[in-house]
Amino acid sequence: MRFSGIAASRGIAIGPAYRYSRTLLYAEDRDLLPADVPYETERFDGAILRARQEIEKVRRVAEQKVGASASSIFEAQMMMVSDDIILKRIRKRIKAELKPAAVIVDTEFSHHQRLLQASDNALMRERVDDIEDIKQRLLRYLLDRKKWLSKIEVPSILVADMLTPADAILFARSSVLAFSIDGGGVTSHVAILARSLGIPALVGLHDAAESVETGDMLILDGERGELIVNPDDETLKGYRQEQSFVIASGVGVGEKILEDDAPIVRTSDGQDLRILMNLEFGNEIAISEAERLSQTTVVSGGEKRLGLGLVRTEHFLLLHDEFPSEEEQNVLYKDLADRFYPATITLRTFDVGGDKVLSGSYREDNPNLGWRGLRISLDEPDLFLGQLRAALRASYRGNVKIMFPMVTTQDELQRALAFLEQARNDLRNKGENFDEEMPVGIMVEVPSAALMADTFIPMVDYFSIGSNDLTQYTLAVDRGNDLIAGLFQELHPAVLKLIQLTAQSARRNGKPVCICGELGGNPLATPVLIGLGIEEISVSPSSVRALAARTRLLNASDCKALVNQIFATATSGEDVKRMVLEFLNERNLVESFSDAKLRRGTGARMPKK
Ligand code: PEP
Ligand code: MG
């Protein structure tokens, strides 16, 4: 049986299921006598006290495991159980309505849940689970129920219809291999925690849990968003191979990642590829991992360290639900630039909207075609100027680049550059130090930008191709929609042609072009990108090593011939995949590219942000 869900945290897990189902508690309605009120109020106060103690305990565990930023989820829970207005209201209602504390707690918190559930904002809706966590905790004390069990004896994949952030943290202390959750979205706290913990997770599986029993054999594919229950031997074997490949290509602590001439790797016939890393900003664990990786590639001469080809600054919002202030950004960007110095960091200005989180409820029928990325920045000058000034101030040592997302028209770019000049002037007037030559680039991720690349390139220092959005907009396929995931073909010849146009235009003008979408980490794409003459690829830190290894196995002239053949005959993404597989097969490279072997026809499905 196969279930498809949303890949919330990457990786592949194979193991027995542990079916976790927490019976939801409900308070039974009955009447109190006025004389019972003091006792009932006292029980409520006792429950609040215990809740605070337990949440604090979980918060401390979370802090050790995932760092201060993600453990702030529990600080928010703590604030809710310490909210005087809510607590007073509950006490008042016990007295006025003569109902047990459990009943009032149940109705009061359920009321807040309904309000959030009705919100237009996905992030707010996902906070419903946090309130459920608090409500259930209080009901457990008030109804004298036992402690929840959050311990697994044998390493297992946890399957649940719903999981709270506290559950996730506590289960992570025992041998959980992965999380499979019917509810939730990628921005739910449990998904964020799973990513921070490095535990593969699927969410949004709808009704998978009821078809799974403890002990069932499971494959949880956090790469493609699939849960396979009791797989046949062949599937299991294929996944075992892939799993060892994924693990082998992962990043070990203090490991030497690249050869001596890193971060530039060379094909067998001497074409250079510079590897960079993508970083989701705001997650301390991810930053330190990337930093460690950068430091382990110290090399002789020239460029010394692995830099950051894409810093998704908007990810700060996922963890904090609000834009950082200019001052906060000053500190954060400077810290990042210092930590990676002398390598370069590429700060992309906030790319919110579309499928990404934006606080406040801006309801749009077509968010991916709506108020998104640079469009928002241009409409919010204070926000934009603040971010630009903060980035400029971090650039004083000369290792910061800036990049605009979702550029569609000339006019937008002109206006963005004018804001940048204004930000520079603000700093000049204050006598602040910054890099006057800070390179400025754009994401090429909308077909209009690729088609008009020649007119954009004189205005910028570099291009960075966002293959995720470029695929979405070229093929008119929502990158986060399950129903059409099979149509999301990032290797479609139409997408490749736009990449070629962009790369040619940059090359003619002697300017660099980088690929920073997920395509860069797709094993089947490596020969194609090398063949297209791409010289920079930015991938997630866990893909760095495998990308370097694959590049060394390839011959760039052969790859060029492959690209010519693709453009001459391929009419679909499937054609391209087949041709690349044949190419690898002829050269006995399929084993070394084993991730490629297992990438099936569903296309490289992009998880939503
Ligand atoms: C892209 O679109 O390929 C990209 C790198 O940007 P994001 O995935 O953040 O939209
Ligand atoms: Mg994009």
Side-chain angles (χ1 to χ4, degrees):
M1 246 183 313
R2 284 175 190 258
F3 295 90
S4 66
I6 301 164
S9 175
R10 297 190 60 175
I12 289 170
I14 302 174
Y18 177 84
R19 180 77 172 83
Y20 175 67
S21 148
R22 172 197 268 195
T23 346
L24 289 186
L25 299 174
Y26 298 95
E28 222 169 278
D29 195 7
R30 63 186 171 88
D31 294 322
L32 295 182
L33 295 173
D36 297 332
V37 169
Y39 174 65
E40 202 56 26
T41 315
E42 211 175 286
R43 289 185 67 233
F44 170 68
D45 288 341
I48 289 288
L49 198 69
R50 275 184 69 189
R52 284 193 203 140
Q53 284 163 350
E54 280 199 18
I55 294 172
E56 174 54 22
K57 205 169 91 195
V58 180
R59 194 196 61 77
R60 275 206 302 268
V61 177
E63 197 169 48
Q64 281 163 10
K65 281 200 158 283
V66 298
S69 54
S71 70
S72 65
I73 294 166
F74 299 101
E75 269 157 37
Q77 289 201 3
M78 188 64 119
M79 271 161 65
M80 263 187 262
V81 284
S82 309
D83 186 327
D84 255 355
I85 300 179
I86 300 182
L87 302 188
K88 271 193 192 138
R89 216 177 118 78
I90 293 176
R91 288 191 202 101
K92 224 160 112 188
R93 283 187 58 193
I94 297 174
K95 195 166 165 201
E97 297 170 34
L98 290 173
K99 294 285 178 196
V103 172
I104 304 291
V105 163
D106 197 349
T107 54
E108 188 69 27
F109 283 93
S110 300
H111 168 71
H112 290 287
Q113 285 178 300
R114 277 194 300 276
L115 289 181
L116 287 178
Q117 192 80 58
S119 160
D120 289 339
N121 182 313
L123 196 70
M124 298 295 272
R125 283 199 302 277
E126 279 162 4
R127 296 297 83 87
V128 170
D129 288 352
D130 290 346
I131 300 192
E132 186 67 29
D133 199 13
I134 296 173
K135 185 174 81 181
Q136 292 294 325
R137 196 177 283 286
L138 292 173
L139 287 179
R140 183 159 55 86
Y141 307 141
L142 292 168
L143 301 172
D144 294 323
R145 296 300 167 87
K146 285 210 202 68
K147 239 180 141 83
W148 295 311
L149 214 62
S150 49
K151 218 174 162 117
I152 302 180
E153 302 299 339
V154 279
S156 307
I157 296 176
L158 187 119
V159 180
D161 45 6
M162 175 237 185
L163 200 70
T164 66
D167 291 334
I169 286 293
L170 295 175
F171 274 116
R173 287 201 297 187
S174 49
S175 358
V176 67
L177 299 172
F179 296 117
S180 161
I181 307 163
D182 280 1
V186 253
T187 52
S188 57
H189 277 147
V190 67
I192 296 172
L193 282 174
R195 283 196 289 276
S196 304
L197 291 161
I199 296 177
L202 295 182
V203 297
L205 284 152
H206 303 305
D207 46 11
E210 64 186 36
S211 309
V212 177
E213 283 174 32
T214 296
D216 279 347
M217 189 60 183
L218 298 181
I219 297 171
L220 182 141
D221 182 345
E223 305 288 314
R224 305 176 189 82
E226 246 188 339
L227 181 73
I228 308 174
V229 185
N230 295 324
D232 57 35
D233 287 349
E234 204 182 320
T235 312
L236 204 56
K237 197 167 141 230
Y239 266 101
R240 285 232 158 88
Q241 274 175 3
E242 180 174 15
Q243 190 186 34
S244 56
F245 181 78
V246 171
I247 291 169
S249 62
V251 178
V253 179
E255 206 178 337
K256 194 159 182 267
I257 308 300
L258 304 170
E259 304 275 294
D260 279 350
D261 58 347
I264 309 237
V265 283
R266 204 156 276 175
T267 61
S268 63
D269 55 341
Q271 180 169 309
D272 284 346
L273 176 75
R274 172 178 295 122
I275 300 182
L276 297 146
M277 293 182 287
N278 292 348
L279 187 73
E280 266 73 78
F281 190 65
N283 178 342
E284 178 47 41
I285 303 273
I287 298 177
S288 352
E289 247 172 48
E291 188 186 7
R292 194 175 56 220
L293 191 51
S294 171
Q295 284 168 356
T296 50
T297 58
V298 176
V299 284
S300 52
E303 203 171 341
K304 287 220 167 57
R305 286 188 180 171
L306 215 52
L308 301 177
L310 166 65
V311 180
R312 291 181 162 105
T313 59
E314 69 279 0
H315 270 248
F316 192 89
L317 284 169
L318 274 182
L319 293 162
H320 299 271
D321 200 19
E322 62 184 5
F323 286 108
S325 67
E326 179 175 340
E327 268 322 303
E328 251 177 305
Q329 291 180 68
N330 271 339
V331 175
L332 294 168
Y333 300 156
K334 188 171 165 304
D335 173 58
L336 199 62
D338 284 345
R339 286 165 77 171
F340 283 85
Y341 185 83
T344 308
I345 65 165
T346 310
L347 296 174
R348 180 176 73 181
T349 59
F350 297 127
D351 181 17
V352 281
D355 65 343
K356 298 183 203 181
V357 183
L358 178 63
S359 271
S361 43
Y362 301 97
R363 203 192 168 97
E364 293 179 280
D365 286 339
N366 284 309
N368 276 318
L369 302 180
W371 202 46
R372 181 185 164 185
L374 188 60
R375 298 170 184 180
I376 296 184
S377 296
L378 292 174
D379 285 348
E380 301 283 340
D382 290 345
L383 183 72
F384 196 28
L385 283 168
Q387 185 169 34
L388 294 173
R389 281 191 297 261
L392 281 165
R393 282 160 77 180
S395 74
Y396 69 106
R397 292 171 85 181
N399 69 325
V400 175
K401 292 183 184 175
I402 195 121
M403 181 154 85
F404 302 127
M406 278 292 291
V407 175
T408 310
T409 65
Q410 284 279 316
D411 171 65
E412 282 169 345
L413 179 57
Q414 267 159 10
R415 287 169 57 213
L417 292 173
F419 275 116
L420 185 60
E421 191 46 33
Q422 189 178 333
R424 286 195 193 101
N425 276 332
D426 291 347
L427 296 184
R428 283 181 196 122
N429 292 340
K430 282 201 216 142
E432 295 252 13
N433 210 355
F434 66 92
D435 176 10
E436 288 277 357
E437 309 294 319
M438 180 180 75
V440 186
I442 58 166
M443 295 279 298
V444 177
E445 51 184 348
V446 181
S448 67
L451 291 164
M452 301 294 283
D454 278 342
T455 65
F456 283 104
I457 195 71
M459 300 164 74
V460 293
D461 298 305
Y462 64 95
F463 280 156
S464 190
I465 300 176
S467 57
N468 309 334
D469 279 312
L470 192 60
T471 306
Q472 150 164 285
Y473 295 126
T474 303
L475 302 177
V477 175
D478 180 344
R479 62 195 267 193
N481 184 338
D482 276 13
L483 295 177
I484 46 171
L487 300 178
F488 189 92
Q489 299 183 350
E490 53 187 3
L491 280 167
H492 193 286
V495 179
L496 299 181
K497 276 196 181 148
L498 291 175
I499 293 178
Q500 187 187 41
L501 266 181
T502 311
Q504 283 170 342
S505 167
R507 209 172 304 129
R508 270 198 302 276
N509 286 270
K511 294 186 180 173
V513 58
C514 178
I515 300 269
C516 68
E518 295 299 297
L519 183 67
N522 177 346
L524 286 185
T526 315
V528 181
L529 296 176
I530 303 253
L532 282 167
I534 298 291
E535 287 171 352
E536 279 184 19
I537 299 184
S538 188
V539 288
S540 71
S542 61
S543 300
V544 166
R545 194 175 184 213
L547 174 60
R550 288 195 299 268
T551 305
R552 291 199 192 94
L553 292 173
L554 293 168
N555 176 300
S557 321
D558 287 357
C559 295
K560 281 192 184 93
L562 169 70
V563 167
N564 288 339
Q565 193 197 344
I566 287 173
F567 284 138
T569 57
T571 57
S572 68
E574 289 306 319
D575 280 355
V576 176
K577 280 188 192 175
R578 196 178 29 73
M579 289 164 79
V580 175
L581 276 171
E582 268 163 30
F583 171 90
L584 294 175
N585 203 13
E586 281 162 15
R587 288 161 184 76
N588 260 333
L589 289 175
V590 173
E591 269 310 307
S592 324
F593 279 59
S594 61
D595 196 5
K597 194 171 62 172
L598 288 142
R599 255 169 211 270
R600 286 178 301 271
T602 49
R605 189 168 161 278
M606 274 303 303
K608 279 190 196 174
K609 289 282 144 7

